[in-house]
Amino acid sequence: TATRAHRPAGRPRVYDDRDILVGVGNVLARSGVNGVTVAAVAAELGCTAPALSKRFGARQDLLLAFLAWSTEQARERFRRVRDE
């Protein structure tokens, strides 16, 4: 019998998390925290709101992911400056 090669189920991801979180930052800078919605971030990226919701959950989860990511980005920038 022939065996099929293993491949992940579903479509491949078009956007990585960094792209999405940069999109959240763009919407946040332009519209403020109240303007950050899953739909607004999806429009920024050119993807669908359900795709973002499936990946990150609700708006609050998307904002928490952005907060964690942006904090780590700032920490890394400070580390580089300190090391220079």
Side-chain angles (χ1 to χ4, degrees):
T1 61
T3 59
R4 294 189 324 189
H6 174 72
R7 72 171 188 82
R11 296 181 188 176
R13 290 184 172 179
V14 175
Y15 302 99
D16 65 23
D17 287 352
R18 183 185 182 289
D19 294 335
I20 294 167
L21 297 170
V22 167
V24 172
N26 291 341
V27 173
L28 182 63
R30 190 172 53 247
S31 304
V33 72
N34 291 329
V36 178
T37 64
V38 174
V41 175
E44 175 78 13
L45 296 168
C47 68
T48 65
L52 285 181
S53 293
K54 184 172 183 176
R55 191 151 160 195
F56 284 94
R59 172 185 182 265
Q60 179 178 351
D61 300 317
L62 188 58
L63 286 168
L64 288 171
F66 174 77
L67 179 61
W69 173 79
S70 62
T71 300
E72 184 55 36
Q73 295 296 304
R75 186 176 290 129
E76 178 60 25
R77 283 191 297 274
F78 283 121
R79 185 197 61 74
R80 276 183 284 168
V81 167
R82 185 187 64 229
D83 291 348
E84 291 174 1

